[in-house]
């Protein structure tokens, strides 16, 4: 584990593993994510003290789940600086658990995670074929829930589609609030792209913004990658973002 048990370290060296760039301030709200975003803001104000516990967010890859759960974590830290907030991917959690078994330190592993105030786990569908990891997590899950700690889970599918996970576990994961983030529509993609360019002090013509947004087919990840490339080219060459540049950059992302 990268972090030590919190009682052994100063809060100033505890690493929440949150992406400081993925905040609520630059998370663009739209019809596809409004409910999930509203619930997330409620959690950030009072983690562990709302009906949104556990909070289960699901949606297709590239829809903005990771941005949102990072935003929730960062706002939790801002509103509740005394709380220990941790973001971790399901894959990293599984690696740490496997290492703890190999090193005979599983009790320390579980004790550490049971000490977290707000635990955020991304891509839990990775555990569908990992029963031992899931069993260890379920012990942590139950402990945190009993003690009023906040749990946030993200997946690319709803709880009912987590095949291979015991039904009672799935029901526990879904016993708080389940919120869907849908694939963003064209307008939301345009809004995200415009906001990204504006943040970097650049303008993007409406027809170029619409062209790029159509090309990404609802993938926020692709949209951000293309936006970053457009901004980089425009700044390095001290030029504007036009259709020619957009077509060239998009060609780098096409299969």
């Amino acid at each position: 584990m990268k972090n030590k048990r919190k009682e052994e370290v100063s809060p100033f060296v505890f690493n929440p593993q949150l992406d400081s760039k993925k905040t609520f301030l630059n998370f663009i709200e739209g019809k596809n994510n409004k409910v999930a975003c509203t619930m997330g803001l409620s959690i950030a104000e009072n983690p562990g003290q709302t009906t949104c516990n556990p909070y289960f967010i699901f949606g297709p890859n590239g829809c903005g789940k990771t941005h949102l759960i990072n935003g929730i974590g960062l706002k939790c830290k801002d509103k509740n600086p005394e709380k220990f907030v941790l973001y971790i991917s399901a894959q990293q959690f599984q690696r740490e658990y496997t290492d703890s078994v190999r090193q005979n330190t599983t009790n320390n592993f579980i004790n550490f995670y049971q000490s977290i105030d707000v635990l955020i786990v991304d891509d839990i569908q990775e555990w569908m074929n990992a029963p031992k990891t899931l069993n260890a997590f379920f012990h942590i899950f139950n402990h945190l829930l009993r003690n009023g700690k906040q749990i946030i889970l993200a997946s690319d599918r709803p709880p009912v589609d987590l095949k291979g996970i015991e039904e009672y576990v799935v029901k526990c994961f879904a016993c708080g609030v389940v919120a869907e983030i849908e694939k963003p529509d064209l307008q939301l993609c345009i809004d995200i792209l415009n906001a990204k360019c504006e943040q970097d002090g650049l303008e993007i013509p409406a027809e170029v913004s619409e062209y790029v947004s159509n090309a990404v087919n609802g993938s926020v990840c692709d949209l951000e990658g293309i936006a970053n490339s457009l901004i980089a080219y425009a700044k390095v060459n001290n030029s504007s973002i036009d259709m020619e540049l957009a077509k060239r950059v998009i060609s780098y992302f096409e299969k």
Side-chain angles (χ1 to χ4, degrees), residues 109-250:
F109 171 85
I110 291 176
N111 288 339
F112 165 73
Y113 278 97
Q114 288 181 340
S115 73
I116 302 301
D117 296 305
V118 180
L119 180 58
I120 304 168
V121 188
D122 205 356
D123 290 324
I124 67 163
Q125 73 277 356
E126 298 281 346
W127 292 338
M128 288 194 296
N129 296 305
K132 292 182 180 179
T133 299
L134 193 59
N135 184 57
F137 177 76
F138 197 59
H139 283 296
I140 295 164
F141 176 93
N142 283 329
H143 177 89
L144 295 179
L145 216 56
R146 283 196 306 269
N147 287 277
K149 308 301 183 181
Q150 181 67 51
I151 301 168
I152 299 170
L153 306 173
S155 172
D156 67 357
R157 66 203 71 192
V160 69
D161 288 340
L162 291 170
K163 307 302 181 184
I165 296 181
E166 294 285 352
E167 185 179 357
Y168 73 92
V169 175
V170 172
K171 286 184 176 180
C172 287
F173 285 174
C175 71
V177 168
V178 177
E180 180 180 11
I181 298 184
E182 299 174 2
K183 185 177 178 179
D185 59 18
L186 176 62
Q187 186 56 55
L188 182 56
C189 288
I190 290 172
D191 292 343
I192 292 171
L193 181 56
N194 289 344
K196 180 82 173 171
C197 291
E198 183 180 342
Q199 183 181 343
D200 281 83
L202 294 172
E203 292 184 4
I204 181 168
E207 64 272 16
V208 177
S209 182
E210 183 172 351
Y211 175 79
V212 173
S213 298
N214 262 313
V216 299
N217 193 29
S219 171
V220 176
C221 291
D222 286 351
L223 183 64
E224 289 184 344
I226 291 172
N228 288 334
S229 298
L230 288 172
I231 291 167
Y233 271 97
K235 286 188 171 182
V236 168
N237 295 322
N238 194 26
S239 61
S240 60
I241 298 175
D242 56 20
M243 189 66 77
E244 181 182 354
L245 176 61
K247 289 181 178 180
R248 178 153 54 110
V249 168
I250 287 172

Side-chain angles (χ1 to χ4, degrees), residues 23-39:
T23 70
F24 268 116
L25 290 177
N26 58 22
F27 184 82
I28 308 301
E29 185 178 311
K31 290 187 297 182
N32 80 308
N33 58 32
K34 183 176 179 59
V35 172
C37 187
T38 301
M39 295 296 100

